[in-house]
Amino acid sequence: MKSGRILLVDDDEAICLVVSEALRRDGHEVVTATCLAEQRRIREQFTPDIIITDVILPDGNGLDSIAELRLSSPNLPVIVLSAQNTLSTAVRATEEGAFEYLPKPFDLDELCRVVRDGLSRKPQLERKPADAAEDLPLIGRSSAMQEVYRTIARVVPLDLSVLILGESGTGKELVARAIHDLGPRKGRPFIAVNMAAIPKELIEADLFGHERGAFTGALQRASGKFEQASGGTLFLDEIGDMPLDAQTRLLRVLQSGEFTTVGGNRIIRANVRIIAATNRNPVELIAGNQFREDLYYRLNVIPVALPPLRQRGDDIVLLAKHFLAQGASQGLPSKALAESAAARLLVHDWPGNVRELENLVRRLAVLTREDVVEARHVEQQIGNREDRSEEQTIFAGESLALVVEQHLQRYFSSFAPDLPPDGLSHRIAGAVDQPLMRAAMIAARGNQIRAARLLGVNRNTLRKRLADLGIDPALGRPIRK
């Protein structure tokens, strides 16, 4: 392993100590600085192979220093650390030419790996043309969203196909728009098409256009979505619902870069960036002969996996407050969110994800008479009879085992006369484990030591289970303003 000279710039003494020890164990020489001025003084006598810098420093912004560093050392890799954890920070770090961006809290092993990569490879330091606006549609600082931000930041300047995977309501179109708005095609059309909403017989005409008389009712020529999006981005939502014959035509266009209208002979050059999205599992669709494998590989050049809202921790509260403020700016009654209401939102499963949360918040803004939304108001809107009857059964003294048994009876009945798929024990254990972990973290207010004691496990076991279940280790921690 190649060792190097590392300059670490961060005013947090604890971070400097932990990171320095980890890097020195890997054989690197480490010098630390607490501000930009000190970083400049140190570099007069110390020539680093890599600089690791925080964004917010006492005397300025670490991102602003990258341009200065490039003038004197154009091939010097810069690794950016940030507690801001926003899409705009990730995008700007990439624009400025950072070798890598890691949101705080970061994994030490990953940082050490990035340092090794930086010592062995030349970074890409060309400044990207995109303008990272602060007013971006994606909201959230959870660890689950950080990989999404980093992927978006990397793909923005590249004219490659993107496949966005995620449950309904997770914000797939918002991600597609962010990629378009931050990229070189910004200012050109962004055309969104819901493939599930177009009748099968009209899909080709809708995508590629048609000539007059091409079919009954075609009274004049009409351009398709490929023409309308020329120079911009074509977003194919719910691509998993596209019929196989239409998939074949789309594949030909992606392969050749050309198409003809329905009933036409003139070849038209396709000048669009394709971003597709689906809430279904493409691999399962391919196995069931419902989706072409070759089309999947054409679309899945850059995959972006969106986490469900239930795995995003305190992002739920951030989003709820955002939707309340947004509603007030649009004429809805202005409301504040009480801590009790925030806690109740955190324990909901959110099967409808962000879309469900937005609709709920708008109902709360309209239907809550008081100026502050409390837990009871949330409960009135998301509680239902079935939920309340089960809760009453548990808290009336009935055992959890009885409730599970009743659930299993209904579950087995839904498959009758067949049996459920194999592996039931593992699925049931997983279904119980995730809400248990979430409830413990929320009750302990994000304190992992306290949560581990509560569950009767050691902290390492807790951290592994949180990672395996995709639960934010900061879940339940009070949001810092």
Side-chain angles (χ1 to χ4, degrees), residues 127-183:
R127 189 181 183 92
K128 308 301 187 296
D131 177 21
E134 290 296 325
D135 186 20
L136 292 171
L138 296 175
I139 293 173
R141 302 189 176 190
S142 64
S143 59
M145 287 299 291
Q146 295 311 307
E147 191 60 34
V148 174
Y149 293 163
R150 292 167 68 186
T151 302
I152 292 174
R154 290 185 180 118
V155 77
V156 157
L158 307 175
D159 212 23
L160 300 174
S161 297
V162 177
L163 180 61
I164 306 172
L165 304 171
E167 297 177 8
S168 293
T170 48
K172 296 186 287 294
E173 184 170 345
L174 287 178
V175 170
R177 286 187 178 275
I179 293 172
H180 171 79
D181 290 342
L182 293 167

Side-chain angles (χ1 to χ4, degrees), residues 55 64 70 129 136 159 194 210 309 466:
V55 172
D64 295 335
R70 289 176 61 210
L136 292 171
D159 212 23
N194 188 332
H210 63 79
L309 185 58
L466 292 175

Side-chain angles (χ1 to χ4, degrees), residues 296-355:
Y296 168 67
Y297 289 120
R298 280 280 177 179
L299 296 172
N300 193 41
V301 178
I302 304 292
V304 178
L306 286 184
L309 185 58
R310 59 185 171 275
Q311 293 180 5
R312 292 178 55 183
D314 282 336
D315 283 357
I316 296 169
V317 180
L318 287 175
L319 284 163
K321 292 180 177 179
H322 166 75
F323 291 137
L324 283 174
Q326 185 182 66
S329 69
Q330 296 171 351
L332 296 182
S334 179
K335 305 291 181 183
L337 193 70
E339 287 190 11
S340 63
R344 179 62 184 88
L345 293 174
L346 285 170
V347 297
H348 185 55
D349 283 340
W350 301 110
N353 290 294
V354 180
R355 186 180 298 121

Side-chain angles (χ1 to χ4, degrees), residues 147-464:
E147 191 60 34
V148 174
Y149 293 163
R150 292 167 68 186
T151 302
I152 292 174
R154 290 185 180 118
V155 77
V156 157
L158 307 175
D159 212 23
L160 300 174
S161 297
V162 177
L163 180 61
I164 306 172
L165 304 171
E167 297 177 8
S168 293
T170 48
K172 296 186 287 294
E173 184 170 345
L174 287 178
V175 170
R177 286 187 178 275
I179 293 172
H180 171 79
D181 290 342
L182 293 167
R185 291 179 180 265
K186 178 183 180 180
R188 303 297 296 171
F190 176 91
I191 303 296
V193 187
N194 188 332
M195 304 307 301
I198 307 174
K200 178 180 177 180
E201 61 275 9
L202 296 179
I203 285 182
E204 289 196 26
D206 192 77
L207 289 179
F208 308 114
H210 63 79
E211 300 298 325
R212 179 180 178 182
F215 50 83
T216 303
L219 302 179
Q220 59 185 7
R221 185 188 187 279
S223 61
K225 296 299 190 292
F226 268 84
E227 280 189 83
Q228 296 168 21
S230 182
T233 300
L234 181 60
F235 175 53
L236 303 176
D237 198 8
E238 306 302 351
I239 192 72
D241 295 298
M242 191 177 197
L244 280 171
D245 52 353
Q247 291 178 31
T248 302
R249 178 80 187 275
L250 176 61
L251 177 63
R252 285 201 301 268
V253 175
L254 296 181
Q255 289 173 334
S256 67
E258 299 173 339
F259 66 95
T260 58
T261 60
V262 176
N265 297 315
R266 182 171 63 93
I267 294 176
I268 302 172
R269 186 71 184 170
N271 178 21
V272 297
R273 179 182 195 164
I274 297 293
I275 301 179
T278 180
N279 61 2
R280 306 176 70 182
N281 186 328
V283 177
E284 292 180 358
L285 292 175
I286 292 169
N289 295 318
Q290 296 176 277
F291 202 83
R292 293 187 60 119
E293 187 173 14
D294 43 7
L295 177 58
Y296 168 67
Y297 289 120
R298 280 280 177 179
L299 296 172
N300 193 41
V301 178
I302 304 292
V304 178
L306 286 184
L309 185 58
R310 59 185 171 275
Q311 293 180 5
R312 292 178 55 183
D314 282 336
D315 283 357
I316 296 169
V317 180
L318 287 175
L319 284 163
K321 292 180 177 179
H322 166 75
F323 291 137
L324 283 174
Q326 185 182 66
S329 69
Q330 296 171 351
L332 296 182
S334 179
K335 305 291 181 183
L337 193 70
E339 287 190 11
S340 63
R344 179 62 184 88
L345 293 174
L346 285 170
V347 297
H348 185 55
D349 283 340
W350 301 110
N353 290 294
V354 180
R355 186 180 298 121
E356 178 189 359
L357 175 60
E358 181 177 8
N359 292 337
L360 170 67
V361 169
R362 288 181 176 275
R363 287 201 307 275
L364 289 168
V366 172
L367 300 178
T368 303
R369 291 189 177 91
E370 294 85 347
D371 292 335
V372 178
V373 177
E374 302 283 354
R376 58 187 174 85
H377 301 126
V378 177
E379 184 63 35
Q380 288 170 0
Q381 296 301 321
I382 64 177
N384 58 55
R385 288 184 180 178
E386 184 176 353
D387 291 339
R388 285 195 294 270
S389 64
E390 289 190 1
E391 289 173 1
Q392 289 168 354
T393 300
I394 295 172
F395 291 111
E398 300 285 358
S399 69
L400 178 61
L402 177 59
V403 175
V404 172
E405 183 177 356
Q406 292 172 346
H407 173 79
L408 288 174
Q409 288 173 354
R410 294 194 299 269
Y411 181 72
F412 275 93
S413 296
S414 68
F415 286 90
D418 299 322
L419 292 175
D422 294 344
L424 178 59
S425 178
H426 179 73
R427 291 199 302 278
I428 293 296
V432 172
D433 204 25
Q434 186 169 69
L436 176 61
M437 293 294 106
R438 287 176 55 81
M441 291 301 296
I442 292 169
R445 297 181 66 79
N447 186 317
Q448 293 184 30
I449 296 176
R450 181 68 189 91
R453 286 204 307 268
L454 177 65
L455 293 166
V457 300
N458 64 52
R459 188 181 180 186
N460 288 337
T461 299
L462 173 66
R463 294 184 68 177
K464 183 178 185 305

